[in-house]
Amino acid sequence: MYVAATTRAFSDLSFGESLQQIEDLEFDRFELCLNEQGSEWTFSDVAERPDEHVQHLKELTRLTPVAIDIAGDVDRVQFQSVCRFAKLSKITQLTIPASSTGAPYNTEIDRLKDLVAIANQESVLVSLKTQSGTLTEDPHTAAELCQSVKGLRLTLDPSYYMRGNAQTSEYDILLPHVSHTHLRDSTPTEVQVMTGLGEIDYNRLISQLNKLGYRRALSVDLLPELTDKETRGLEFRKLRLLLESLL
């Protein structure tokens, strides 16, 4: 296992500045978060010119890209192009959102089978993010999706399973399906709090993943709307040091 930082919390900076900040905080790996906000490195922009962005990424940073996170709707053609970008950048992990809660289950299965087949052609692993408001907010449904779609994995975000009733507070059944993680400190009432003030049991999580042979990333993923820019660097550094101390 190794620790990485997502670019999500640095949405107020240019992409180059984001990577410099991550490097200054002594991370050596990062996860690229793509959406349609901002003026550069959007999902559609990378999809339109994948080869150009591969070269640009090499010129921007010495950090190692380990994963891509896609927020919002996934267009099939654009997804195929981003998978090409991932392969050329030697990125093997790609996270996508599940459909919204209440979406037809069979329709979601068909959609995911198609996307996994596309990603397989580029040797990219696709995982669904576990998140409130989507089909993966229920651990049992999330596990069933992985069992129904061969090759589909999960990006575990335990913060969202701390909220709600007791049925969603235990996510152990998901661990065999996990290929990536998004981590921040949380409480049952707050999805993000300052590191050390939350109730995420990182030691237990890492121990369980280790027993299952997990050898992939622990991504520090702070939410921009809940992160104070003045303390952002400190929070990233604190969580990095905490996770590294448990490895």
Side-chain angles (χ1 to χ4, degrees), residues 24-43:
D24 290 345
L25 292 167
E26 301 183 51
F27 288 86
D28 54 15
R29 297 176 175 90
F30 77 96
E31 177 175 355
L32 173 60
C33 296
L34 296 177
N35 53 44
E36 286 307 303
Q37 300 174 359
S39 58
E40 60 174 350
W41 285 84
T42 61
F43 174 62

Side-chain angles (χ1 to χ4, degrees), residues 227-245:
T227 304
D228 187 336
K229 295 175 186 177
E230 296 299 318
T231 60
R232 176 170 57 194
L234 176 62
E235 288 302 302
F236 266 95
R237 183 175 282 109
K238 283 164 57 179
L239 193 45
R240 174 181 64 79
L241 291 172
L242 173 59
L243 293 173
E244 288 178 345
S245 73

Side-chain angles (χ1 to χ4, degrees), residues 1-137:
M1 277 180 265
Y2 51 84
V3 181
T6 75
T7 61
R8 195 185 320 276
F10 301 97
S11 56
D12 58 308
L13 304 177
S14 70
F15 184 57
E17 290 171 333
S18 298
L19 296 180
Q20 186 59 57
Q21 285 275 310
I22 291 172
E23 186 172 354
D24 290 345
L25 292 167
E26 301 183 51
F27 288 86
D28 54 15
R29 297 176 175 90
F30 77 96
E31 177 175 355
L32 173 60
C33 296
L34 296 177
N35 53 44
E36 286 307 303
Q37 300 174 359
S39 58
E40 60 174 350
W41 285 84
T42 61
F43 174 62
S44 57
D45 192 29
V46 173
E48 185 178 346
R49 302 188 303 278
D51 296 60
E52 179 181 321
H53 281 79
V54 170
Q55 184 59 37
H56 189 197
L57 187 60
K58 292 179 181 178
E59 296 169 353
L60 272 177
T61 184
R62 295 173 297 178
L63 296 170
T64 301
V66 297
I68 296 173
D69 177 88
I70 299 174
D73 295 334
V74 179
D75 175 270
R76 186 180 187 277
V77 175
Q78 290 179 324
F79 180 77
Q80 187 170 24
S81 186
V82 170
C83 285
R84 171 179 169 77
F85 164 79
K87 181 179 181 179
L88 294 175
S89 301
K90 299 181 180 179
I91 299 171
T92 59
Q93 167 64 45
L94 196 155
T95 300
I96 61 174
S99 293
S100 300
T101 305
Y105 186 81
N106 289 337
T107 301
E108 178 71 340
I109 292 295
D110 292 340
R111 180 183 80 96
L112 294 173
K113 284 182 177 179
D114 183 41
L115 295 179
V116 169
I118 291 171
N120 282 344
Q121 294 175 1
E122 304 292 352
S123 301
V124 175
L125 193 63
V126 176
S127 62
L128 286 180
K129 183 175 175 67
T130 61
Q131 190 171 17
S132 300
T134 73
L135 290 173
T136 58
E137 70 177 8

Side-chain angles (χ1 to χ4, degrees), residues 176-200:
H177 304 291
V178 172
S179 66
H180 192 57
T181 60
H182 284 160
L183 303 175
R184 69 192 72 81
D185 219 348
S186 309
T187 70
T189 57
E190 300 290 338
V191 71
Q192 179 174 308
V193 297
M194 295 178 66
T195 303
L197 299 181
E199 300 177 25
I200 299 289

